[in-house]
Amino acid sequence: QKEVEQDPGPLSVPEGAIVSLNCTYSNSAFQYFMWYRQYSRKGPELLMYTYSSGNKEDGRFTAQVDKSSKYISLFIRDSQPSDSATYLCASPTDSWGKLQFGAGTQVVVTP
Amino acid sequence: EAQVTQNPRYLITVTGKKLTVTCSQNMNHEYMSWYRQDPGLGLRQIYYSMNVEVTDKGDVPEGYKVSRKEKRNFPLILESPSPNQTSLYFCASSPTTSNHEQFFGPGTRLTVL
């Protein structure tokens, strides 16, 4: 069983809508959470990270962590066609940088 | 330009023919890692290296070897490739082992017939 679970999608939304992405994790020792964005035929790139419960905002992106329910979310406001990509959540399993990734959710924003 | 490079980008080979996928970073990063990405399974770590001459297994190391003789290079070796190693492979690097932001290469698509 994967330690980080994510709905693979695809998730299709119209331009301007709010995109809501979710992951669940099973290991309560996870302290640090990241969202990577992966465009087609490219390597993943770090989008956001958060260390503790609560919200973190960066422009149109908001990352949310609920440690009590082991649930992490990413919200994209005013979505654009350029946001069409696969979004992967991740958490390091220990301090050595060994990351556990979710399977990724494909997002399609239609003009 | 700061980057992680991989070669080759695409490779089709046959079962049992040894191959090496190279990975190089020009950012003086200590930490490097290899992942494979398969549909529905996401990214899974194969091996990682915390510094020169220090490597360790990830979640799916079977059938793979690595070496880290220089800081910038971290090649992935498949001694006897099999069809179940057909996958998209990514190399990644990070400034230190405690810095969780990893910079990924462009990927190598490997097909083993």
Side-chain angles (χ1 to χ4, degrees):
Chain A
Q1 181 186 355
K2 286 179 70 65
E3 291 188 284
V4 180
E5 298 281 354
Q6 189 174 4
D7 186 344
L11 180 63
S12 184
V13 300
E15 184 175 356
I18 294 176
V19 177
S20 175
L21 301 167
N22 304 298
C23 284
T24 58
Y25 63 96
S26 57
N27 190 336
S28 58
F30 286 1
Q31 297 289 322
Y32 195 84
F33 304 93
M34 286 158 281
W35 284 95
Y36 280 80
R37 177 176 61 194
Q38 185 177 19
Y39 290 114
S40 182
R41 302 179 190 280
K42 300 283 188 183
E45 56 180 348
L46 182 68
L47 188 62
M48 291 188 70
Y49 67 90
T50 181
Y51 184 73
S52 57
S53 286
N55 294 354
K56 181 176 181 178
E57 201 169 305
D58 184 1
R60 296 185 295 111
F61 298 89
T62 299
Q64 195 173 74
V65 178
D66 182 349
K67 286 189 175 177
S68 62
S69 56
K70 298 190 182 71
Y71 202 76
I72 56 178
S73 302
L74 178 71
F75 301 97
I76 308 173
R77 291 183 300 281
D78 187 25
S79 58
Q80 306 293 311
S82 58
D83 294 325
S84 297
T86 296
Y87 292 81
L88 303 105
C89 56
S91 182
T93 56
D94 55 43
S95 63
W96 301 112
K98 187 174 178 180
L99 291 181
Q100 281 283 336
F101 281 87
T105 299
Q106 184 186 3
V107 172
V108 179
V109 180
T110 54
Chain B
E1 180 189 354
Q3 60 184 346
V4 178
T5 56
Q6 297 178 227
N7 282 292
R9 294 289 313 278
Y10 302 90
L11 179 60
I12 300 174
T13 189
V14 295
T15 299
K17 186 175 181 182
K18 181 180 179 180
L19 66 92
T20 299
V21 183
T22 64
C23 173
S24 183
Q25 49 92 5
N26 62 1
M27 297 171 279
N28 201 36
H29 285 175
E30 289 184 353
Y31 180 92
M32 297 185 75
S33 184
W34 275 103
Y35 296 87
R36 60 178 290 174
Q37 187 173 37
D38 302 289
L41 297 177
L43 282 162
R44 293 180 292 166
Q45 192 173 42
I46 302 171
Y47 270 95
Y48 62 97
S49 169
M50 293 174 283
N51 214 324
V52 176
E53 301 292 2
V54 182
T55 63
D56 206 349
K57 296 177 181 178
D59 292 325
V60 288
E62 295 78 20
Y64 304 95
K65 284 176 60 176
V66 293
S67 67
R68 186 93 181 273
K69 293 184 172 58
E70 306 167 280
K71 199 170 188 179
R72 62 183 292 128
N73 296 322
F74 190 44
L76 179 69
I77 303 156
L78 285 72
E79 295 267 1
S80 183
S82 62
N84 64 11
Q85 292 178 298
T86 292
S87 187
L88 180 59
Y89 291 86
F90 287 101
C91 180
S93 72
S94 180
T96 66
T97 56
S98 59
N99 184 319
H100 299 300
E101 178 178 3
Q102 297 196 11
F103 296 84
F104 284 80
T108 295
R109 185 164 293 281
L110 172 65
T111 301
V112 183
L113 301 175

